[in-house]
Amino acid sequence: ATGSAQVFVLPPSTRLDYRLQGWWRGEVQGQAKVEWRRSGERYQVEMEVTIGPAFAPVATRRIRSDGRIGDDGLEPERYVDDMQALLGRPRQLVLPLGELRAATPGLQDSASQLVQLLWLLNLEPQRLQVGSRIELPLAQPTRVVSWRYDVVAQQALQTPLGEIDAMLLRPSPGQARPGELVVELWMAPRLQHLPVRMTIRHGAATYADLLLERAPRQALEEENAPAAR
């Protein structure tokens, strides 16, 4: 590695809060959050999507990635996907990624990719031009694939924070298999390339559209951040 981790320091521990609108057995509303925590060389990325009111959710899905921070960004070791619906059994998927990563350098999971993309784009902002393609090895539930994002447009998004310019990264068509999460990302260069909007698709009929609803909250003192476990 080239010591590139020292060229761009990853963001401090950060929390992003989103409003949710989407479709899951009908039109739904809710909220979502993404939390990025770092402590020394350890990290944790967690995304939680809640359908319905926070005090009585109809369904909650939480994906989490734990691992190390290396010279080339994040090195996931464990990925967990938990789904809890009001009228169904809880479901959990766990992917131990250490061995897979040994065979596939740079491997990411559905949660860690959110921060790894930040790392890449802050390191090489020229990648974020309309017409460009960004690839990264991604662990899906049943396979490892070289996942491709196309930079398709620059858009001015209307948000509760005002108008924010963002670049839309859309997964290249035809690469997802049934049961795989597909995420479209609107990355805002002026906000450390944080995703101000995301659309998460799971199959043809289920999607959640997330729009940032308040300013990102970031830790000022990394040494006071809770250790990632």
Side-chain angles (χ1 to χ4, degrees):
T2 59
S4 49
Q6 281 71 50
V7 177
F8 168 68
V9 177
L10 281 155
S13 298
T14 300
R15 173 168 166 158
L16 304 171
D17 292 282
Y18 298 87
R19 294 179 188 167
L20 180 154
Q21 292 184 310
W23 188 272
W24 182 70
R25 304 175 184 172
E27 198 170 318
V28 294
Q29 294 186 327
Q31 51 278 318
K33 66 177 181 180
V34 174
E35 289 197 74
W36 150 254
R37 309 176 189 98
R38 53 179 301 194
S39 180
E41 293 185 347
R42 304 291 304 170
Y43 81 84
Q44 186 178 85
V45 184
E46 184 174 87
M47 175 192 283
E48 184 177 274
V49 174
T50 303
I51 292 171
F55 60 87
V58 176
T60 303
R61 186 167 190 170
R62 183 183 297 111
I63 64 174
R64 193 181 78 227
S65 174
D66 294 273
R68 293 184 65 258
I69 300 170
D71 285 343
D72 296 313
L74 303 195
E75 299 176 358
E77 295 171 352
R78 187 169 185 263
Y79 170 77
V80 182
D81 182 345
D82 283 301
M83 175 77 181
Q84 173 71 65
L86 192 61
L87 300 176
R89 283 177 157 188
R91 289 189 292 113
Q92 184 181 77
L93 168 74
V94 178
L95 296 178
L97 297 178
E99 288 184 20
L100 282 175
R101 205 181 67 249
T104 311
L107 182 68
Q108 302 299 317
D109 56 51
S110 292
S112 71
Q113 66 167 339
L114 302 175
V115 177
Q116 182 70 4
L117 284 166
L118 291 183
W119 185 84
L120 282 171
L121 295 175
N122 280 290
L123 203 60
E124 302 176 18
Q126 68 273 16
R127 286 174 174 256
L128 210 55
Q129 295 178 354
V130 173
S132 295
R133 174 170 283 181
I134 299 168
E135 293 193 40
L136 73 170
L138 190 65
Q140 291 281 16
T142 60
R143 62 177 181 146
V144 169
V145 62
S146 182
W147 197 255
R148 303 180 303 277
Y149 284 99
D150 296 322
V151 184
V152 298
Q154 178 176 347
Q155 296 181 353
L157 299 181
Q158 303 300 325
T159 79
L161 301 177
E163 187 174 280
I164 298 176
D165 284 331
M167 304 299 290
L168 170 56
L169 276 62
R170 180 175 288 151
S172 303
Q175 57 184 336
R177 292 182 181 173
E180 295 181 347
L181 283 182
V182 178
V183 186
E184 293 178 17
L185 298 153
W186 283 258
M187 317 289 275
R190 290 187 182 178
L191 284 177
Q192 302 171 321
H193 294 96
L194 291 165
V196 291
R197 181 183 172 193
M198 291 186 274
T199 300
I200 304 167
R201 302 184 190 278
H202 193 193
T206 300
Y207 76 91
D209 190 63
L210 315 181
L211 184 64
L212 193 68
E213 75 171 343
R214 61 174 64 96
R217 289 184 267 178
Q218 292 190 320
L220 297 176
E221 301 283 344
E222 273 312 317
E223 57 268 26
N224 293 336
R229 286 185 174 85

